[in-house]
Amino acid sequence: MSVAGPQPPVPIPGARLLFSLDPGVAHLNHGSYGAVPIGVQRTQQRLRDETEANPMRFFNRGLVDRITHARRHLAGFLGADPDGTALIGNVTIGAAIVLQSLRLEPGDEVVGTDHGYGSFALTVDREVRRTGAVRRTLPVPLGATDEEIIEIVRSGIRAGRTKLLMIDQIASSTARLFPTAAIVAVARERGVPVLVDGAHAPGMLPLPVDTIGADFWVGNLHKWGYAPRGTAALVVAPRWRERIEPLAVSWYDDAGFPTRIEWQATLDYTAWLAAPVGLFTLRTLGLERVRSHNAALAAYGQWVIGRALGIAPADLLHPGGPTVAMRLLPLPAGTASTLDDAMELRRRIGDELGAEVAVNAWQGRGWLRLSGQVYNRAEEYEQLAERLPALLAAPS
């Protein structure tokens, strides 16, 4: 007897037409690079045209004020203090800024979990090589409860020695939703500062940044917030703002945080200036409507592909819970168990099946990560479910 699974949500009328994605490809990996609505693309192009029409005027007459205005708009959407928010290119840049500003010393610890994003680990490794500090990783089982995760963190940080705890809000590799506010509270009891990686949070999760209470929070708006790529935010608690330094010093260094971080001379600022149009698009579609649609569609995709792979419904993990628009599927043992193999399988699925997905190697096993977005349709997941088992069974 077949077990009834989740049903796909009703498509949002007209939403698919807002994007310029290739209709011959199933784009099931919004979480990696996002997709920029056509209206946002055109806004950014107009700003680029304005730049090239008179570069002197664009850069020298009011640009800082325009960036500030865009930042205030984006910070309001995030639920963050605009004066404690700096616009940056992506979350890894934000992590590098924080780590550099901490001025680590030999023996200091930077602690994270094994769900952390790879470029964050590389950034920490570079900083510990420079300073003599140490990176420690806390293993967190994929099926751990929130209470278990909190206890793992409580036992893993050390007052006076742990100089930074880095925790995901939603983990990229596993789509795990972490109890960030509770973790921050535990770390505060020990006097340990926390950096929250909220790369996937803006536009997907309703939790206002300021309610998390982290010392540092970084998040991308070019994923689920429909902003142009290269739009992210670094939010810093008041007691740290004077210590935060840019990776490269530029002309507004004396202006303090956040302008000293944002102003990087001839950087292309058009992504930041166009980003509010992405939020306007999201609100026009209906923010809660989009969130519930995307989460439901990802759940349906996980179920239909999991069934095709012979995964029992009880074994379908959804560590992000019902509000997260990304879902995880375990691949057969020995498949994509290394980074190189995962990248190769992702390429094969894209080239041979016409579907773009995320494939990650985590804890010695390959995992398929699916996203749901307003431009996706149930039949895209169904078609992948029909064809993926044969590809996995065929020799590479």
Side-chain angles (χ1 to χ4, degrees), residues 184-217:
V184 168
V186 167
R188 186 179 294 115
E189 294 172 359
R190 304 287 179 90
V192 174
V194 181
L195 167 62
V196 172
D197 176 2
H200 291 275
M204 188 197 294
L205 299 182
L207 187 64
V209 170
D210 279 354
T211 64
I212 298 172
D215 300 83
F216 314 100
W217 179 96

Side-chain angles (χ1 to χ4, degrees), residues 144-308:
T145 65
D146 285 355
E147 292 73 19
E148 289 169 339
I149 293 174
I150 293 166
E151 188 54 40
I152 289 170
V153 171
R154 191 193 309 275
S155 302
I157 56 177
R158 296 183 274 196
R161 188 163 181 182
T162 304
K163 299 301 180 180
L164 184 68
L165 171 66
M166 304 175 76
I167 201 78
D168 292 272
Q169 199 164 355
I170 303 173
S172 177
S173 57
T174 62
R176 168 79 217 198
L177 179 65
F178 280 78
T180 48
I183 290 172
V184 168
V186 167
R188 186 179 294 115
E189 294 172 359
R190 304 287 179 90
V192 174
V194 181
L195 167 62
V196 172
D197 176 2
H200 291 275
M204 188 197 294
L205 299 182
L207 187 64
V209 170
D210 279 354
T211 64
I212 298 172
D215 300 83
F216 314 100
W217 179 96
V218 287
N220 290 323
L221 286 112
H222 60 246
K223 292 180 182 286
W224 305 91
Y226 295 163
R229 291 172 199 88
T231 306
L234 166 63
V235 182
V236 178
R239 71 187 185 99
W240 292 100
R241 292 173 192 171
E242 290 185 5
R243 293 178 55 177
I244 297 297
E245 298 179 339
L247 298 180
V249 176
S250 196
W251 288 103
Y252 280 86
D253 192 57
D254 289 342
F257 186 89
T259 302
R260 72 188 310 191
I261 300 297
E262 293 172 335
W263 185 261
Q264 292 291 303
T266 53
L267 186 72
D268 184 355
Y269 299 97
T270 60
W272 301 353
L273 300 181
V277 180
L279 299 185
F280 174 80
T281 305
L282 190 56
R283 288 180 171 124
T284 299
L285 291 172
L287 182 55
E288 293 306 321
R289 185 185 191 188
V290 168
R291 285 172 173 159
S292 61
H293 170 278
N294 293 347
L297 192 55
Y300 176 74
Q302 181 197 42
W303 178 77
V304 73
I305 295 173
R307 183 175 60 174

Side-chain angles (χ1 to χ4, degrees), residues 7 27 41 53 68 93 104 107 117 125 159 213 222 232 249 251 298 330 354 371:
Q7 296 301 304
H27 300 273
Q41 295 178 41
T68 300
I93 292 173
L104 298 171
Y117 191 53
D125 286 344
H222 60 246
V249 176
W251 288 103
S371 298

Side-chain angles (χ1 to χ4, degrees), residues 284-352:
T284 299
L285 291 172
L287 182 55
E288 293 306 321
R289 185 185 191 188
V290 168
R291 285 172 173 159
S292 61
H293 170 278
N294 293 347
L297 192 55
Y300 176 74
Q302 181 197 42
W303 178 77
V304 73
I305 295 173
R307 183 175 60 174
L309 295 178
I311 302 172
D315 295 331
L316 289 177
L317 297 171
H318 43 92
T323 63
V324 173
M326 299 189 298
R327 289 295 179 108
L328 204 63
L329 284 161
L331 292 169
T335 301
S337 56
T338 68
L339 176 60
D340 288 344
D341 288 347
M343 293 176 64
E344 175 60 17
L345 179 58
R346 181 182 64 192
R347 183 199 63 77
R348 289 185 62 206
I349 293 172
D351 291 348
E352 299 177 30

